[in-house]
Amino acid sequence: MVKESNVDVLVIGAGPAGLMAGNALVRAGVNVRVIDKRPKKVVAGQADGIQPRTIEVFQSYGIAEPLIRQGNQMHLVAFYNPSPSGGITRDGRAPDVSAPSARYPFEITLHQGAIEAIFLDSMRQYGLQIDRPVIPTAIKLDDRPEVLESLDSYPVEVTLNHLSDEQEETSETEIVHAKYVLGADGAHSWVRGQLNFTMDGEQTDYVWGVVDMIPETTDFPDIRNRVAIHSTNGSCMVIPREGDVVRLYIQLSDDDAREVINAKGRIDKTRWTPQRLMAIAKRSFQPYTIEFPEEVNWWTLYIIGQRVASSFSLKERIFIAGDACHTHSPKAGQGMNASMNDSHNLAWKIAYVLRGWADPSILKTYELERRKYAQDLIDFDRKFAKLFSGKPRTEENHDGVTHDEFLAAFQQFGGFSTGIGIQYSPSQLTHPDNQPLAVQIEIGKRMPPQIVLSAANGRPYELQDFLPSDTRFKIVVFAGDLDAQVQRGRVEAFASGLGREGGVLKRFGDRTKGSKSGQEEGGEVKGIVKRKPWEEVFEILTVMAGKKETVNYTSVPTILRSHWTKVFVDDVDTQGVRGGKAYLTYGISPEGAVVVVRPDGYVGMVASLEGGAADVETYFASFMRPSTLP
Amino acid sequence: MVKESNVDVLVIGAGPAGLMAGNALVRAGVNVRVIDKRPKKVVAGQADGIQPRTIEVFQSYGIAEPLIRQGNQMHLVAFYNPSPSGGITRDGRAPDVSAPSARYPFEITLHQGAIEAIFLDSMRQYGLQIDRPVIPTAIKLDDRPEVLESLDSYPVEVTLNHLSDEQEETSETEIVHAKYVLGADGAHSWVRGQLNFTMDGEQTDYVWGVVDMIPETTDFPDIRNRVAIHSTNGSCMVIPREGDVVRLYIQLSDDDAREVINAKGRIDKTRWTPQRLMAIAKRSFQPYTIEFPEEVNWWTLYIIGQRVASSFSLKERIFIAGDACHTHSPKAGQGMNASMNDSHNLAWKIAYVLRGWADPSILKTYELERRKYAQDLIDFDRKFAKLFSGKPRTEENHDGVTHDEFLAAFQQFGGFSTGIGIQYSPSQLTHPDNQPLAVQIEIGKRMPPQIVLSAANGRPYELQDFLPSDTRFKIVVFAGDLDAQVQRGRVEAFASGLGREGGVLKRFGDRTKGSKSGQEEGGEVKGIVKRKPWEEVFEILTVMAGKKETVNYTSVPTILRSHWTKVFVDDVDTQGVRGGKAYLTYGISPEGAVVVVRPDGYVGMVASLEGGAADVETYFASFMRPSTLP
């Protein structure tokens, strides 16, 4: 007899996209299951670059610490180009991260196994482990409207085969009935195949090799920086890794590329060796010397190509995420970051729908938001790959890529390639009005970091640490100077509007059943907090204008300060170093403003204090289901 | 038959001083045992303030993280004084920590049990647990010169009684033969009593009460700051604690003081209640209101007194540390910090003598360095207690203490009360020559913090993180600009001098047996490091002058860069925010300087690059035993 079971969300694939989803969902209290076909987690190689925005996302889940502790940091990128005297010469170094608002102004490199282990450790604390090795063999969706519309139905049926660890033979078959399924099963996604979604895009002729190893010796002074080498011998990129490991991306010549591509147009790795890769690198590094070890940690070859899936979901019941949706060059460092941020975008939306708090239509914003990003990403990757794989400009080759062209592209795309510039399109969840009230808190982008001081004790905090991925909406009230009578009136009016009978807090915030939201693990906040009912859904933070020497947090209306830890003042710290620039940096006038930050850290709306309570209500009414009868 | 055993170091008492010693010694690979009479660790109350310098020391042992994570931070102090209209009024707020070089510009409050748990967790990783409940019943020293002079003798004999957990009855007697004994057994030290050392000093008539609780409600806007309240009703100090806990120090009136002191001149706690303390506080807070809970977490009463032990050691074989050496007012926040820093000072010296690396005479510097500090501490405490317990200046009382007097004292003693201004006197370990080469790296004080960048990758680091308490001496080479020919010559000369046959590294650094030094847990450094023989004793760090965009770490002579992580450049980070001020702040000229930092983080000597290798040799020759025959 075949075993059958029900689950709210089934995640297929325990790579970065699947693990981010599993971790986010289990923390949100969702009944979730994650399966993977691999008997064990990966231990070396593969993707390994974590962008600044992704570090922020890790921090929002309280898991940035092990990432930062274990990983290598890239702060600088060095550019080497052909020297007139032969070999290469350094044309300069620049910050690796040029986005000015980056909270973490560096990229982290760490092997994928360690990154996955961070998720596995986190999930284990919530009682979730990966089912493996398990493969799905059939999937079908009951797409009758009455089934799709019901919150209680399990419209997706997936057949699973449990394999034995050793022989990968089937030992057990199971049928799972799921409310939602996420296919996070990689570039060759089985789920995508079953849904008949196509991968649209193109493949280039550029073939690159990758090798991870610890150099024996080198006099190359940038071996611990990210380096873009344009040499007449081909291009090369250096990516320093944790410990003393270095990854090299090495371009194959056209002849070499032809040699490794088989009749089907695919790479045949058996036709090549890591020693041949390192021999190319040795030539490209001249006049610097680099001695390689006999054994390498890991290596591979790949053809650069850029493709996006024709659709990201079937009826918003079956979704795909990560490499299943988009593929691109590894060395732009985008792949794993895009994958994890796909799931980060989707997870809280599924949680809200499952809890009955939000209309299922919000699930459509997943494809809206992430497809545009994926398309931008492959456009970027195409341009970057062309610039980097192209021949350098030299005396002999006047059509080549100049250093200035490359550098300009590198910096132009800084905001994008760091993940920080991503902006989601207008939708139910993203209301683009009132932007002038806070010009630099761009609606649809992530809430930028800023140091503020606790108004109660002057301790500096990163405001982002109060925006954890705990599935709550954050209402950030920039209250201005409460010692000014007029301003105090505005703030009190806003507070009354928010807290009135039938107002946002009571109408959408009173959730007496069925939810379990994460505590504040993301930040550093401690304290004995007696939550009000609406604090399951909303977190209210108040940022006053004023001086730490004179501000009184007790001046804030009580509804805007559920605890003394939730009130801040925009002033410089006791060392005179950090803080005091929030209003200025965000572009907020002394009259203040209100910013609603989505559970994923992206800005949903901006309102004024005067009359703003009604705007906030309109925002939430556009997708939230009332918690109480009107 | 009585059980007998040998141990290199026996620590008596597992309070802060004993735990710091046990942790430091076991990390250093010393055969150490710690006994305590309490069946369990303390769980509430008692000392709880950690000063900025003590946080640095915790960081040097790699245990600052749990302290910072769990503790409350005090950044501001508020001063309240009698208002002309009755009650109290705020005269201002100031930074709680005024020492400009504080790496951690705040104090941490956390209950003593949690602090002790941090040590216990750390020690457990090295396989050391506390023997408890165990009491010593006899101690004697075999003081024959030939015994005292031998490194192999166990001249101290201590008789121990192992108690059963429940009845505190003796269940087993043991005789321990120890090379060294540390009495860290508190203000009523049994060890001190056995040695017939006296406590010299005086007691005042001031009686204070302490109560830990969570206020029910209050409109007092500084309840989360340190607050000094001078009211006509008596003085009061607010110390916010972890979570929402608040500690109040409350002065008793002269009448109340007489009521609680018994015929023997001691406090009789049964004559008082925490409710009476809170009733006093309620009056002192007026016109602010504060509602107290019915149950308090902890409370006590104490008489202010200041005393120092007549001696800190017997023949440098039996030592005392912590409250056994010095007692003072709790609210100056000095007690626990002084105690832990006593042991921190002593532990590495014992390790060096036990390893046979250093002459036993260095143990005399323990009392030299810590007694002067203890004396300064009680002088400070006497002055502070008088100012704080004195009546405030009012219309009626023209002889009272003014706010300006109190504030001036508070700031004047800032460097001292933070632990940062402590300066050890000249000795074998502290050679005061050449101070002008690095005016702000004061010889005998702790090496001040500074942000520098990795020369290999531009990552900002706190230089202090490369000075962990791993029992190694750090030779910090400020190499200047290596692109300048003359300067390069200086650096190369210094490097040759250091590494020559018979030079410091070979003469004192080649330790082929008997030692196990801690790895770099104190800092954030990762990397696969193949240590040279002398790296058991010495760590060489090089700080170049230059720009991150152009510096080449490969320019540093190889003996001054055992690994790419050990070379820094004094430049600002990619954000233009941190770093680039080391030479300026330290007062080092472009010609550079060499600084030797002791294993406890204190500056032992300063030398020039030119001829400095000989000075460094002289320094180490004054207390180190050669590792090789000359």
Side-chain angles (χ1 to χ4, degrees):
Chain A
M1 198 178 124
V2 174
K3 183 180 161 192
E4 300 209 18
S5 63
N6 285 4
V7 71
D8 284 357
V9 183
L10 176 68
V11 177
I12 298 173
L19 290 172
M20 174 65 87
N23 183 57
L25 289 167
V26 75
R27 280 174 57 105
V30 168
N31 172 16
V32 57
R33 191 165 157 193
V34 183
I35 63 166
D36 195 82
K37 65 181 176 187
R38 297 169 296 173
K40 287 173 186 151
K41 69 186 175 74
V42 298
V43 289
Q46 302 198 12
D48 64 356
I50 302 286
Q51 299 169 341
R53 171 56 192 157
T54 308
I55 307 173
E56 291 179 3
V57 172
F58 270 60
Q59 173 67 6
S60 78
Y61 287 101
I63 55 176
E65 187 279 322
L67 178 72
I68 293 172
R69 176 166 42 79
Q70 298 174 71
N72 174 70
Q73 297 182 11
M74 294 195 298
H75 288 259
L76 293 171
V77 54
F79 302 95
Y80 282 77
N81 288 292
S83 160
S85 57
I88 54 171
T89 186
R90 187 170 67 214
D91 272 320
R93 292 179 184 142
D96 184 50
V97 171
S98 50
S101 84
R103 172 177 180 184
Y104 303 98
F106 49 83
E107 289 181 78
I108 288 179
T109 50
L110 182 63
H111 71 88
Q112 189 170 327
I115 294 164
E116 293 182 5
I118 292 169
F119 284 113
L120 296 173
D121 287 347
S122 172
M123 287 160 58
R124 198 175 300 116
Q125 290 174 38
Y126 292 86
L128 180 62
Q129 300 209 23
I130 311 300
D131 277 348
R132 62 169 92 210
V134 174
I135 54 167
T137 55
I139 184 168
K140 56 186 179 192
L141 177 69
D142 183 345
D143 61 358
R144 287 171 293 166
E146 66 275 20
V147 174
L148 290 180
E149 279 161 21
S150 164
L151 279 184
D152 299 319
S153 67
Y154 292 83
V156 196
E157 183 185 298
V158 183
T159 308
L160 302 182
N161 277 0
H162 291 257
L163 309 178
S164 66
D165 268 24
E166 298 305 317
Q167 300 108 359
E168 302 208 0
E169 284 168 1
T170 300
S171 62
E172 192 188 354
T173 299
E174 178 186 3
I175 292 176
V176 176
H177 303 278
K179 290 182 174 174
Y180 296 95
V181 168
L182 176 62
D185 49 349
H188 305 289
S189 170
W190 175 87
V191 174
R192 187 186 66 217
Q194 295 294 306
L195 303 180
N196 288 317
F197 297 163
T198 55
M199 288 299 276
D200 306 331
E202 59 197 51
Q203 179 170 308
T204 69
D205 298 327
Y206 303 128
V207 175
W208 285 69
V210 194
V211 57
D212 285 354
M213 45 76 224
I214 297 177
E216 292 282 319
T217 60
T218 182
D219 61 358
F220 185 65
D222 284 282
I223 197 68
R224 297 306 306 176
N225 286 320
R226 179 203 283 258
V227 188
I229 297 175
H230 272 104
S231 90
T232 53
N233 185 54
S235 293
C236 177
M237 184 170 274
V238 178
I239 303 281
R241 291 262 308 265
E242 66 274 16
D244 291 345
V245 178
V246 174
R247 169 169 290 187
L248 297 179
Y249 289 94
I250 298 153
Q251 184 181 15
L252 267 60
S253 69
D254 294 348
D255 284 349
D256 287 344
R258 273 187 289 274
E259 187 179 334
V260 299
I261 293 178
N262 65 17
K264 292 176 186 163
R266 296 221 176 121
I267 296 278
D268 180 355
K269 217 177 138 183
T270 65
R271 301 183 185 181
W272 201 257
T273 66
Q275 285 68 33
R276 288 182 71 180
L277 282 178
M278 293 187 288
I280 298 172
K282 238 174 134 82
R283 286 196 300 277
S284 301
F285 269 71
Q286 283 170 5
Y288 297 98
T289 60
I290 181 164
E291 297 302 325
F292 291 102
E294 291 197 9
E295 295 283 318
V296 304
N297 298 10
W298 179 78
W299 76 284
T300 194
L301 296 175
Y302 62 89
I303 306 179
I304 292 184
Q306 294 92 9
R307 291 192 175 88
V308 177
S310 56
S311 178
F312 283 21
S313 103
L314 181 63
K315 306 278 185 192
E316 287 81 46
R317 286 291 189 168
I318 305 175
F319 300 89
I320 55 174
D323 288 351
C325 296
H326 37 72
T327 61
H328 23 73
S329 316
K331 79 182 166 308
Q334 305 289 338
M336 182 164 52
N337 293 279
S339 297
M340 294 191 289
N341 282 295
D342 284 347
S343 306
H344 174 60
N345 180 285
L346 179 60
W348 72 271
K349 297 172 184 172
I350 290 181
Y352 265 58
V353 173
L354 283 171
R355 290 174 187 169
W357 292 4
D359 193 274
S361 61
I362 67 166
L363 296 174
K364 289 183 191 295
T365 65
Y366 167 63
E367 179 158 349
L368 174 80
E369 294 178 341
R370 297 304 297 175
R371 161 176 276 285
K372 174 173 177 300
Y373 169 65
Q375 193 61 51
D376 291 349
L377 175 57
I378 68 164
D379 292 346
F380 163 71
D381 188 49
R382 196 172 291 126
K383 178 161 180 177
F384 190 81
K386 193 170 167 190
L387 279 172
F388 196 47
S389 298
K391 291 276 178 204
R393 175 87 59 107
T394 58
E395 288 291 313
E396 294 75 35
N397 177 13
H398 290 271
D399 297 330
V401 179
T402 68
H403 172 59
D404 289 344
E405 277 178 300
F406 185 72
L407 183 60
F410 186 87
Q411 291 179 332
Q412 180 189 342
F413 291 115
F416 183 75
S417 67
T418 57
I420 284 169
I422 295 168
Q423 185 164 24
Y424 294 145
S425 310
S427 71
Q428 285 165 291
L429 297 177
T430 310
H431 292 200
D433 314 319
N434 301 321
Q435 183 69 77
L437 294 175
V439 177
Q440 295 303 323
I441 299 180
E442 293 178 78
I443 299 162
K445 291 193 178 181
R446 70 90 163 87
M447 180 74 177
Q450 196 62 217
I451 300 291
V452 290
L453 309 186
S454 163
N457 68 15
R459 174 173 172 178
Y461 282 101
E462 172 51 64
L463 188 56
Q464 275 195 349
D465 282 337
F466 286 79
L467 311 172
S469 292
D470 60 359
T471 75
R472 295 195 290 171
F473 278 87
K474 317 302 184 302
I475 302 176
V476 188
V477 181
F478 291 89
D481 177 5
L482 286 171
D483 291 337
Q485 196 58 40
V486 178
Q487 186 61 20
R488 194 174 178 127
R490 286 192 187 103
V491 173
E492 282 167 356
F494 178 77
S496 320
L498 211 60
R500 72 177 175 86
E501 282 304 319
V504 166
L505 300 187
K506 295 218 169 64
R507 188 162 154 215
F508 301 113
D510 190 11
R511 306 290 172 176
T512 48
K513 66 178 178 92
S515 72
K516 192 181 99 185
S517 82
Q519 296 298 307
E520 289 149 4
E521 290 107 336
E524 293 178 58
V525 188
K526 290 275 165 197
I528 296 157
V529 186
K530 293 167 194 159
R531 281 197 175 177
K532 298 186 176 52
W534 49 263
E535 286 189 276
E536 283 288 306
V537 184
F538 300 110
E539 167 86 317
I540 299 177
L541 304 167
T542 299
V543 182
M544 305 167 81
K547 293 289 167 198
K548 62 184 174 300
E549 289 82 4
T550 54
V551 74
N552 296 314
Y553 80 96
T554 43
S555 306
V556 173
T558 51
I559 204 157
L560 304 184
R561 53 172 171 108
S562 60
H563 192 254
W564 60 265
T565 51
K566 313 291 170 116
V567 183
F568 306 92
V569 60
D570 182 26
D571 195 13
V572 71
D573 69 8
T574 57
Q575 303 292 286
V577 177
R578 302 187 300 164
K581 294 181 180 166
Y583 280 73
L584 180 72
T585 307
Y586 288 152
I588 295 174
S589 82
E591 295 186 13
V594 177
V595 176
V596 175
V597 182
R598 308 181 346 177
D600 56 4
Y602 287 76
V603 179
M605 75 162 298
V606 169
S608 64
L609 282 167
E610 224 147 2
D615 289 342
V616 172
E617 214 170 307
T618 305
Y619 172 74
F620 285 107
S622 75
F623 61 90
M624 288 288 277
R625 293 181 163 178
S627 52
T628 53
L629 294 176
Chain B
M1 196 177 125
V2 174
K3 183 180 161 192
E4 299 208 19
S5 63
N6 286 2
V7 70
D8 284 357
V9 184
L10 176 68
V11 177
I12 298 173
L19 291 172
M20 174 66 87
N23 183 56
L25 290 167
V26 73
R27 282 175 56 107
V30 168
N31 173 16
V32 57
R33 190 166 158 192
V34 184
I35 63 165
D36 196 82
K37 65 181 176 187
R38 296 170 296 173
K40 286 174 187 151
K41 68 186 175 72
V42 298
V43 290
Q46 304 198 11
D48 64 356
I50 302 286
Q51 299 169 340
R53 172 55 192 159
T54 308
I55 309 173
E56 291 180 4
V57 171
F58 270 59
Q59 174 65 8
S60 78
Y61 287 101
I63 55 175
E65 187 278 324
L67 179 72
I68 294 172
R69 176 165 42 78
Q70 298 175 72
N72 175 70
Q73 296 181 13
M74 293 195 297
H75 288 260
L76 293 171
V77 54
F79 302 95
Y80 282 77
N81 288 292
S83 161
S85 58
I88 54 170
T89 185
R90 187 169 67 213
D91 271 322
R93 292 178 185 144
D96 184 50
V97 172
S98 51
S101 84
R103 173 177 180 184
Y104 303 98
F106 49 83
E107 289 180 77
I108 288 179
T109 50
L110 182 62
H111 71 88
Q112 189 170 326
I115 293 164
E116 293 183 6
I118 292 170
F119 283 113
L120 296 174
D121 288 347
S122 172
M123 288 160 57
R124 198 175 300 118
Q125 291 174 37
Y126 292 86
L128 180 62
Q129 301 209 25
I130 312 301
D131 278 348
R132 64 168 94 211
V134 174
I135 54 166
T137 56
I139 184 167
K140 55 185 178 189
L141 177 69
D142 183 346
D143 61 358
R144 288 171 293 167
E146 67 275 20
V147 174
L148 290 180
E149 278 161 22
S150 165
L151 278 183
D152 300 320
S153 67
Y154 292 83
V156 196
E157 183 185 298
V158 184
T159 308
L160 301 182
N161 276 1
H162 291 257
L163 309 177
S164 67
D165 268 23
E166 299 305 318
Q167 301 108 0
E168 302 209 359
E169 285 167 1
T170 301
S171 62
E172 192 187 354
T173 299
E174 178 185 2
I175 292 175
V176 176
H177 303 277
K179 290 182 174 174
Y180 297 94
V181 168
L182 177 62
D185 49 351
H188 304 290
S189 171
W190 173 87
V191 174
R192 188 186 66 216
Q194 295 294 306
L195 302 181
N196 288 317
F197 297 164
T198 55
M199 287 299 277
D200 305 332
E202 60 196 52
Q203 180 170 308
T204 68
D205 298 326
Y206 303 129
V207 176
W208 285 70
V210 194
V211 58
D212 284 354
M213 47 74 224
I214 297 178
E216 292 281 318
T217 59
T218 183
D219 61 359
F220 185 64
D222 284 283
I223 196 68
R224 297 306 306 176
N225 286 321
R226 178 203 282 258
V227 188
I229 297 175
H230 272 104
S231 89
T232 53
N233 186 55
S235 293
C236 177
M237 183 170 275
V238 179
I239 304 281
R241 291 262 309 265
E242 66 273 18
D244 291 344
V245 177
V246 174
R247 169 169 290 187
L248 296 180
Y249 289 94
I250 297 154
Q251 185 182 13
L252 267 61
S253 69
D254 295 346
D255 284 348
D256 287 345
R258 275 187 287 274
E259 185 179 336
V260 298
I261 292 178
N262 65 18
K264 293 176 186 163
R266 296 219 177 125
I267 296 278
D268 180 355
K269 217 178 138 184
T270 64
R271 301 183 185 180
W272 202 255
T273 66
Q275 283 68 34
R276 289 182 71 179
L277 283 178
M278 293 187 288
I280 299 172
K282 238 174 135 80
R283 287 195 299 277
S284 301
F285 270 71
Q286 283 171 4
Y288 297 98
T289 60
I290 180 163
E291 297 301 326
F292 291 103
E294 293 197 8
E295 295 283 319
V296 305
N297 299 10
W298 179 78
W299 76 284
T300 194
L301 296 175
Y302 62 90
I303 304 180
I304 290 184
Q306 295 92 8
R307 289 193 177 87
V308 177
S310 56
S311 178
F312 283 21
S313 103
L314 181 63
K315 306 279 184 192
E316 287 80 48
R317 286 291 189 167
I318 305 174
F319 300 89
I320 54 174
D323 288 351
C325 296
H326 37 72
T327 60
H328 23 73
S329 317
K331 77 183 168 307
Q334 303 289 339
M336 182 163 54
N337 293 277
S339 297
M340 294 192 288
N341 282 294
D342 284 347
S343 307
H344 174 60
N345 180 286
L346 180 61
W348 72 270
K349 297 171 185 174
I350 291 181
Y352 265 58
V353 173
L354 283 171
R355 290 173 187 169
W357 292 5
D359 193 274
S361 62
I362 66 167
L363 296 174
K364 290 183 191 294
T365 65
Y366 168 62
E367 180 158 348
L368 174 79
E369 294 178 341
R370 297 305 297 175
R371 160 177 276 286
K372 174 174 178 299
Y373 169 66
Q375 194 60 53
D376 291 348
L377 176 56
I378 67 164
D379 293 345
F380 162 71
D381 189 47
R382 195 172 293 124
K383 178 160 181 180
F384 191 80
K386 192 171 167 190
L387 279 172
F388 197 47
S389 297
K391 291 275 178 204
R393 175 88 57 106
T394 58
E395 288 292 314
E396 294 75 35
N397 177 12
H398 290 271
D399 298 329
V401 180
T402 68
H403 173 59
D404 289 345
E405 277 178 299
F406 185 71
L407 184 60
F410 187 86
Q411 291 179 334
Q412 180 189 343
F413 290 116
F416 184 74
S417 67
T418 58
I420 283 168
I422 295 167
Q423 184 164 24
Y424 294 145
S425 309
S427 72
Q428 286 164 291
L429 297 177
T430 310
H431 291 200
D433 315 319
N434 301 320
Q435 183 69 77
L437 294 174
V439 178
Q440 295 303 324
I441 299 180
E442 293 177 80
I443 299 163
K445 291 191 178 183
R446 70 90 162 86
M447 179 74 177
Q450 197 61 218
I451 300 291
V452 290
L453 309 185
S454 163
N457 69 15
R459 174 175 171 176
Y461 282 100
E462 172 50 64
L463 188 56
Q464 275 195 348
D465 281 337
F466 285 80
L467 311 173
S469 292
D470 60 359
T471 75
R472 295 195 291 170
F473 278 87
K474 317 302 185 301
I475 301 175
V476 188
V477 181
F478 292 89
D481 177 5
L482 287 171
D483 291 338
Q485 196 58 41
V486 177
Q487 186 61 19
R488 194 174 179 127
R490 288 192 185 103
V491 174
E492 282 167 356
F494 178 77
S496 320
L498 212 60
R500 74 176 175 85
E501 282 305 319
V504 167
L505 301 186
K506 295 217 168 67
R507 188 161 154 218
F508 301 113
D510 191 9
R511 307 289 171 177
T512 48
K513 66 180 178 92
S515 73
K516 193 180 98 185
S517 82
Q519 295 298 307
E520 290 151 3
E521 290 106 334
E524 293 179 58
V525 188
K526 290 276 165 198
I528 296 158
V529 185
K530 293 166 193 158
R531 280 197 175 176
K532 299 186 175 53
W534 49 263
E535 286 189 277
E536 283 288 307
V537 184
F538 300 109
E539 167 87 316
I540 300 177
L541 304 167
T542 299
V543 182
M544 306 167 80
K547 293 288 167 198
K548 63 185 173 299
E549 289 82 5
T550 53
V551 73
N552 295 315
Y553 80 95
T554 45
S555 305
V556 173
T558 52
I559 205 158
L560 304 184
R561 54 171 172 106
S562 61
H563 192 255
W564 62 265
T565 52
K566 313 290 170 112
V567 184
F568 306 92
V569 61
D570 182 26
D571 195 14
V572 70
D573 70 7
T574 57
Q575 304 292 286
V577 177
R578 301 189 300 163
K581 293 181 182 166
Y583 281 72
L584 180 72
T585 307
Y586 288 151
I588 295 174
S589 82
E591 295 185 13
V594 177
V595 176
V596 175
V597 182
R598 308 181 345 179
D600 56 5
Y602 287 76
V603 179
M605 74 162 299
V606 170
S608 64
L609 283 167
E610 223 147 0
D615 289 342
V616 173
E617 214 169 306
T618 305
Y619 172 75
F620 285 106
S622 75
F623 62 90
M624 288 287 278
R625 294 182 163 176
S627 52
T628 52
L629 294 175

